[in-house]
Amino acid sequence: MMELTADHIKTWMKKADKKFQDKKEYLTELDQAVGDGDHGVNMARGFSEVIKKIDQDYETPSDVLKDVAMTLMSKVGGAAGPLYGTAFLKLSTQVKGKDVIDFSNFVESLNAGVEGIKQRGKAESGEKTLLDVWVPLTESLKEQSDFDSQSLKDISESLMNKTKDIKATKGRASYLGDRSIGHLDPGSVSSFYLFEALAETIEGGQ
């Protein structure tokens, strides 16, 4: 059984940051098609601040996750900051006091993260938001018994791609109505990068 330590969480964030810096322009293009056009810049800026913040020693995964949450809430503009910040805050709260996060802890914390995003964004899955990755991914992980990096990558990528066929009914993209169909949801794409970074962290830690 794999377990996530505070250092694993730091590695996860560093890998995520690298992806957001590399994909900043692409995320911006996606968001220009359906939103404000600032998602790439916001995620890149927010995660570079996260990396600066977590450049210290931590006793527990919860402590790292809490700093990630607070930094994203204060440094990421648009809807992404509050949503991702809330998700990480819920993850942090759920694993508070634990030295390591085992798989069942992780799934529970992800579930809490999903509920936090729903409450903060007043959204459900099926509305072309990041929940279209987070909700079904969490449900599928409930069927598994341990971390599986390939499965995590494959499922989150498949869910991201499915957002192309969804009509947006939430957020800025909802103004486009049927014209939002055929575009990937930027929040789902950034969520895929986040979970892909986690999968790569798990691969390195096994």
Side-chain angles (χ1 to χ4, degrees):
M1 287 285 281
M2 160 104 187
E3 293 175 325
L4 296 174
T5 63
D7 280 344
H8 283 129
I9 304 295
K10 286 170 70 174
T11 301
W12 175 20
M13 292 303 109
K14 285 173 189 166
K15 288 180 181 294
D17 173 55
K18 172 94 170 62
K19 290 180 189 296
F20 291 129
Q21 304 310 325
D22 291 346
K23 302 290 189 181
K24 179 168 71 172
E25 304 302 328
Y26 175 60
L27 283 171
T28 294
E29 285 168 23
L30 289 176
D31 200 33
Q32 281 169 344
V34 293
D36 293 331
D38 57 1
H39 191 57
V41 174
N42 286 341
M43 294 301 287
R45 184 178 60 225
F47 272 81
S48 71
E49 294 291 336
V50 163
I51 299 312
K52 286 181 209 162
K53 177 69 179 174
I54 65 172
D55 185 20
Q56 55 179 295
D57 292 329
Y58 287 94
E59 294 206 348
T60 69
S62 175
D63 294 336
V64 193
L65 290 164
K66 186 174 182 184
D67 273 355
V68 171
M70 294 310 185
T71 306
L72 292 176
M73 282 182 180
S74 63
K75 302 292 185 183
V76 181
L83 294 176
Y84 277 116
T86 298
F88 278 104
L89 194 58
K90 294 288 187 182
L91 263 68
S92 164
T93 306
Q94 195 70 31
V95 297
K96 198 169 176 56
K98 297 182 186 296
D99 292 332
V100 292
I101 305 173
D102 67 22
F103 184 69
S104 65
N105 298 152
F106 178 71
V107 176
E108 286 166 9
S109 68
L110 214 52
N111 202 55
V114 164
E115 292 308 313
I117 295 170
K118 284 181 177 178
Q119 286 164 4
R120 177 51 80 100
K122 299 186 171 42
E124 296 289 336
S125 61
E127 297 182 308
K128 204 180 185 93
T129 71
L130 72 167
L131 284 170
D132 293 310
V133 169
W134 284 71
V135 171
L137 175 64
T138 303
E139 291 306 313
S140 71
L141 292 178
K142 288 176 184 174
E143 309 293 315
Q144 298 178 20
S145 57
D146 199 2
F147 290 104
D148 179 339
S149 57
Q150 195 57 52
S151 168
L152 184 57
K153 213 181 279 189
D154 291 347
I155 293 169
S156 52
E157 185 170 18
S158 160
L159 292 167
M160 168 191 76
N161 285 324
K162 283 181 182 172
T163 65
K164 195 175 262 194
D165 302 324
I166 300 174
K167 176 180 171 179
T169 55
K170 259 285 177 281
R172 189 70 181 263
S174 64
Y175 301 153
L176 295 172
D178 289 338
R179 284 181 297 138
S180 64
I181 298 170
H183 294 284
L184 287 171
D185 169 57
S188 292
V189 178
S190 59
S191 294
F192 163 64
Y193 293 145
L194 192 63
F195 289 119
E196 185 183 41
L198 176 59
E200 290 167 6
T201 304
I202 293 163
E203 271 164 27
Q206 278 175 337

